Every structure is written in structure tokens, then in C-alpha cells.
């Protein structure tokens, strides 16, 4: 972080740290009461008269952050006048800005508490080196060595490994219809699911070279507990957990639903239909863009001013006959829903048949086969009218005979002709 300036700035800017030279130290000793403590690191940034300082605590492998240790370091930071405590571990919080470990809220009134997962650190490094760029070649090489180290299976920087200790009991309770909101582990599974979506966004962002984010309403962003309560209520009532991710410049967010009762995981995207042309043309417009999608992809067409489900058909049949998606040719198709459905893994840990891998795989496939190929409809620009040039007919030879339209001026102008006429 202190050597590769762009990388250090990319990590620290979201925390409110100022731009400036980054100083880093390891295992700085502090006295807290009668004890000595050694946080894993310290980061300091100086800019003019402004100084920003943060302590750092790091965990690797399956080691988790401990409340007591973090509260001690928060006390040290407060007594030293430091600004923040940053934690790094393999724990992935449900959403960006949340911390995976609960601490006494009174201790974070004057000292901010931030968390980086190792997945976030790795994703930021890859984005910076491969997509955003590093100005100095030597710094780029150093960042590449960090990436190579973090990607090694023995580095201790692991990806999301399992769904937690309560996954099996909660899964079985959902299947039998006996899950209750207060059951042990239900809230943990919901938090793990949101953490899984966060992991999916970081992984996709690393592959695509862009910032992929979870979709949250303003109320949920302000109060994350609302999101947790809504997902928990859905899991208890319907056996479903749902979330959405947004990839920049795509037609719409991808909605991900894990249905534990039906043992299915679905990815869905809504596509606005063209606002002109006939119904068959609108359906064909979408089908042409799904040439890479598997035949089992489901398409549902919704007409304007109608409630309830639309007309649904599998892509394979719709390719053969687009009219299968048209219930009434006279009604205007307003939008389409494109859905991919795959079997849901049930195992809690990573590997074949796991819940995590089934969600990760369907999101990858849905984006690569469907979403990245769909372009939203745009109206044709208004066209200028083309005017044909007027053809000018040559004038006919003027007649010298008198006409009823001739006035006195004409008669006076031709006295010889008047005499000849007399």
C-alpha cells in the first residue's frame, strides 16, 4: 500500500482517508492500562497539517475476528487520537460498509471501524493492475506479486468457504415447513446469503474489470436490518432468499433467487420491449439477442395494463415460433422477463453439489450467455424529409392575340396591332 500509490488510494479512499503519502508499520506496541498490545499494523497519511491514522488487525485462514480484541484496539485508537481501526479477514459481511463482528457501539463514536475481506483486497488489486492501470512499471510488478501470493491456496486468503454451522438444520427446517423467525441460525443463514451475493459481486468485478454492486433500496442502505428482516420473512414464508446485483452498462439488474423448497436457483432480468412495431417484431427483437442462451431459458412476455403472470415459453420453442409468446396480437407487449433455472446445491461447503457453487455458477452462466448480449431498445432518431427538386417547365411562346385579361395599357403599347385589327 505504501509503495503502489494507486492501490493504496483505491483501498483507503472509500474509508474517508485523505490523499497523500502512505506510511505503514507492523506490530506497533501500545500500552493499554497495565497491559501491552500489538496491533498487526498501523497506517498513517500526512497531507499538510492533516494527519489520518488507522490501526490494522489481520486474520487469515478460518480465524475470525474477536470482539474483545477489537474493543481493546478501539480503546487504544481513541486514547491515541487515531481515526479508525481496519480489520482484514476472510469473513465477508452482508453488504459493503457493514462489519462482521459486533462491538459496543459506544466505542465507535469517535473511532471508525472498517472491514476488508481478503476477497475485497484481491479484487481491488486485480482491478487496479489489469484494468485501471499502475503508472510505474516496478510498482505494477510489485502489485502483481501481491496478487500471485493472495491467489495461492496456502496464503490464508480464502474465498467464501461454507454457509455456516447452522446451514443443514435451517435447510431441513425449510424443507419440512417448520422454520420460525426466531430459530437458531436462521438469521445467520440469511446473513451468509447476502455475504455470498457480496462475494459474487467482487468475483464478477474482478473478471469484468468494473465495480459490480448489490442493489439496495435507500431504506435498506440506511438501515441494513430492514433487508435482513425482509429476507428472513421470505425464507420462513416461502423458503426463498432473494437479492439483486447491478453490473454497469447492462440492460437491468440481475435478480438471484435461491428456492430451498423447490431446490432451484434462478437468475432473472427484465427487458423493456420496443415501443414501436408489431408484437411479433418485438418478440423476434429479443430472441435474436439470445442466440448464445440455452434452449431451456424461459421467456415471459407481459402486456400493458395487465395484472398477473404473462405468457411464458422456453427459448427453444420461441425460436421456432415467436407467436407462442403472444396471447393477443392486438395487445401491446410492455416488457419481457428472461430467466435461467438450475438445480440448487444443498451442501454447506464448497465443492460439487454445494449451495455456494450452484449460485456462483448460475450467475456466471447467466451473465455470459444472456445478459452481456442484450442491448436495450432505443428509438430510431427522427429523419429529415427529403424533398424532390421542382422541375421548371420552359415557358410557352406568348400569344399576341388580345385577351379579355388585357388592360388598356396593353392596347396602348401596341398601336400598330390595334390599327391592323381595325
Amino acid at each position: 500500500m505504501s509503495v503502489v500509490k494507486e492501490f493504496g488510494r483505491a483501498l483507503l479512499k472509500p474509508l474517508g482517508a485523505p490523499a497523500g503519502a502512505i506510511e505503514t508499520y507492523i506490530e506497533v506496541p501500545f500500552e493499554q492500562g497495565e497491559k501491552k498490545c500489538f496491533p498487526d499494523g498501523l497506517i498513517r497519511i500526512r497531507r499538510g497539517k492533516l494527519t489520518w491514522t488507522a490501526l490494522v488487525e489481520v486474520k487469515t485462514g478460518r480465524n475470525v475476528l474477536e470482539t474483545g480484541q477489537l474493543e481493546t484496539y478501539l480503546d487504544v485508537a481513541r486514547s491515541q487520537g487515531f481515526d479508525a481501526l481496519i480489520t482484514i479477514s476472510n469473513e465477508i459481511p452482508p453488504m459493503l460498509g457493514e462489519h462482521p463482528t459486533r462491538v459496543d457501539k459506544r466505542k465507535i463514536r469517535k473511532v471508525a471501524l472498517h472491514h476488508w475481506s481478503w476477497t475485497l483486497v484481491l479484487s481491488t488489486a486485480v482491478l487496479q493492475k489489469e484494468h485501471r492501470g499502475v503508472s510505474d512499471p516496478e510498482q505494477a510488478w510489485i502489485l502483481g506479486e501481491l496478487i500471485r501470493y493472495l491467489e495461492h491456496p496456502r496464503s490464508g486468503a480464502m474465498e467464501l468457504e461454507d454457509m455456516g454451522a447452522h446451514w443443514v438444520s435451517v435447510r431441513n427446517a425449510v424443507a419440512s415447513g417448520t422454520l420460525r423467525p426466531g430459530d437458531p441460525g436462521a438469521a445467520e443463514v440469511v446473513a451468509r446469503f447476502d455475504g455470498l451475493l457480496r462475494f459474487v459481486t467482487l468475483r464478477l468485478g474482478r473478471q469484468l474489470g468494473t465495480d459490480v454492486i448489490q442493489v439496495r433500496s435507500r431504506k435498506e442502505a440506511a438501515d441494513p436490518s430492514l433487508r435482513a428482516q425482509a429476507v428472513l420473512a421470505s425464507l420462513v414464508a416461502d423458503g426463498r432468499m432473494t437479492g439483486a446485483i447491478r453490473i454497469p452498462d447492462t440492460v437491468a439488474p440481475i435478480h438471484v433467487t435461491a428456492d430451498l423448497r423447490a431446490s432451484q436457483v434462478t437468475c432473472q432480468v427484465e427487458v423493456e420491449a420496443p415501443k414501436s412495431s408489431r408484437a411479433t417484431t418485438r418478440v423476434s427483437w429479443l430472441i435474436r439477442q439470445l442466440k448464445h442462451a440455452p434452449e431451456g431459458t424461459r421467456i415471459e412476455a407481459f402486456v400493458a395494463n395487465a395484472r398477473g403472470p404473462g405468457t411464458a415459453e422456453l427459448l427453444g420453442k420461441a425460436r421456432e415460433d415467436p407467436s407462442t409468446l403472444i396471447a393477443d396480437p392486438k395487445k401491446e407487449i410492455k416488457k419481457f422477463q428472461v430467466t435461467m433455472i438450475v438445480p440448487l446445491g444443498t451442501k454447506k461447503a464448497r465443492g460439487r453439489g454445494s449451495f455456494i457453487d450452484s449460485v456462483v455458477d448460475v450467475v456466471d452462466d447467466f451473465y455470459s450467455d444472456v445478459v452481456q448480449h442484450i442491448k436495450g431498445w432505443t428509438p430510431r432518431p427522427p429523419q429529415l424529409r427529403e424533398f424532390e427538386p421542382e422541375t421548371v417547365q420552359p415557358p410557352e411562346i406568348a400569344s399576341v392575340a388580345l385577351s379579355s385579361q388585357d388592360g388598356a395599357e396593353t392596347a396602348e403599347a401596341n398601336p400598330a396591332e390595334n390599327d391592323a385589327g381595325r
Side-chain angles (χ1 to χ4, degrees):
M1 291 177 61
S2 60
V3 174
V4 187
K5 300 176 182 178
E6 293 92 343
F7 174 62
R9 183 64 181 149
L11 281 172
L12 293 171
K13 182 179 178 180
L15 308 188
I22 300 174
E23 304 170 13
T24 56
Y25 307 90
I26 61 170
E27 297 185 350
V28 180
F30 293 95
E31 291 187 2
Q32 184 61 22
E34 298 180 355
K35 296 182 180 180
K36 276 192 174 183
C37 58
F38 298 84
D40 291 318
L42 183 146
I43 300 172
R44 174 171 290 159
I45 302 175
R46 302 177 191 270
R47 185 174 183 179
K49 296 182 179 180
L50 178 65
T51 300
W52 186 91
T53 308
L55 295 178
V56 181
E57 175 59 20
V58 178
K59 300 292 184 183
T60 57
R62 298 183 181 276
N63 298 316
V64 297
L65 298 164
E66 300 174 359
T67 300
Q69 187 181 38
L70 298 189
E71 290 183 346
T72 298
Y73 292 161
L74 286 170
D75 291 337
V76 170
R78 186 179 66 251
S79 64
Q80 297 290 328
F82 295 163
D83 299 274
L85 169 63
I86 301 171
T87 59
I88 309 175
S89 74
N90 286 308
E91 300 162 270
I92 300 178
M95 67 177 291
L96 184 64
E98 285 190 69
H99 200 277
T101 307
R102 291 186 178 183
V103 298
D104 188 341
K105 291 185 178 181
R106 293 173 296 181
K107 295 184 179 293
I108 55 176
R109 290 176 181 173
K110 294 185 178 181
V111 179
L113 178 61
H114 303 291
H115 180 72
W116 296 331
S117 66
W118 281 115
T119 302
L120 172 64
V121 174
L122 175 59
S123 298
T124 304
V126 173
L127 278 173
Q128 193 64 55
K129 182 178 184 296
E130 302 296 336
H131 302 283
R132 296 171 183 162
V134 178
S135 57
D136 184 272
E138 292 182 353
Q139 294 181 17
W141 180 84
I142 291 172
L143 189 57
E145 288 297 291
L146 172 65
I147 294 170
R148 191 160 68 92
Y149 174 80
L150 292 178
E151 288 180 338
H152 195 280
R154 297 184 65 182
S155 68
M158 303 183 303
E159 295 185 333
L160 189 64
E161 288 294 310
D162 61 58
M163 288 298 293
H166 298 281
W167 166 251
V168 175
S169 61
V170 170
R171 182 198 66 198
N172 293 339
V174 169
S176 62
T178 58
L179 183 68
R180 295 175 177 82
D183 285 354
E188 180 189 337
V189 168
V190 167
R192 290 266 180 171
F193 176 73
D194 269 350
L196 172 57
L197 291 183
R198 174 73 181 141
F199 169 71
V200 168
T201 63
L202 292 170
R203 188 173 178 274
L204 261 180
R206 190 165 73 230
Q207 294 172 329
L208 300 175
T210 187
D211 293 320
V212 182
I213 62 172
Q214 288 174 267
V215 178
R216 303 284 180 131
S217 67
R218 290 184 179 180
K219 291 183 178 180
E220 290 174 346
D223 185 1
S225 64
L226 295 177
R227 158 76 183 166
Q229 293 170 8
V231 178
L232 180 59
S234 176
L235 180 63
V236 172
D238 306 317
R240 297 178 180 177
M241 295 185 289
T242 303
I245 62 175
R246 178 180 289 113
I247 303 169
D249 302 323
T250 53
V251 67
I254 298 175
H255 294 267
V256 184
T257 301
D259 191 332
L260 273 63
R261 288 183 184 170
S263 294
Q264 293 178 337
V265 57
T266 65
C267 280
Q268 185 179 91
V269 67
E270 285 193 357
V271 183
E272 294 292 327
K275 299 186 184 304
S276 61
S277 71
R278 297 176 293 111
T280 306
T281 307
R282 298 184 185 199
V283 174
S284 299
W285 167 84
L286 177 64
I287 292 176
R288 282 196 303 270
Q289 300 189 76
L290 299 177
K291 59 183 178 180
H292 299 284
E295 293 189 349
T297 304
R298 190 184 72 183
I299 304 176
E300 192 168 1
F302 295 85
V303 298
N305 303 319
R307 296 181 179 179
T311 305
E313 188 54 84
L314 296 181
L315 178 58
K317 293 185 178 179
R319 282 171 174 159
E320 298 174 0
D321 183 10
S323 64
T324 56
L325 286 168
I326 304 171
D328 187 348
K330 296 181 180 179
K331 293 185 178 180
E332 176 189 8
I333 296 179
K334 192 72 174 177
K335 67 178 180 180
F336 300 99
Q337 281 184 351
V338 184
T339 307
M340 182 179 287
I341 306 173
V342 300
L344 180 68
T346 57
K347 296 180 181 178
K348 77 168 188 174
R350 297 293 298 271
R352 187 176 179 181
S354 77
F355 175 80
I356 294 174
D357 285 352
S358 63
V359 173
V360 170
D361 291 345
V362 72
V363 172
D364 283 351
D365 293 343
F366 188 65
Y367 179 76
S368 63
D369 295 341
V370 177
V371 177
Q372 70 174 349
H373 302 290
I374 299 179
K375 293 183 179 180
W377 179 80
T378 55
R380 185 184 180 188
Q383 304 294 304
L384 288 173
R385 293 177 58 189
E386 296 183 1
F387 295 94
E388 296 183 1
E390 295 183 3
T391 56
V392 180
Q393 298 293 334
E396 297 180 359
I397 299 175
S399 173
V400 298
L402 288 176
S403 169
S404 62
Q405 301 302 307
D406 292 336
E409 299 82 359
T410 305
E412 293 176 359
N414 299 288
E417 294 181 2
N418 293 338
D419 292 340
R422 287 196 292 270

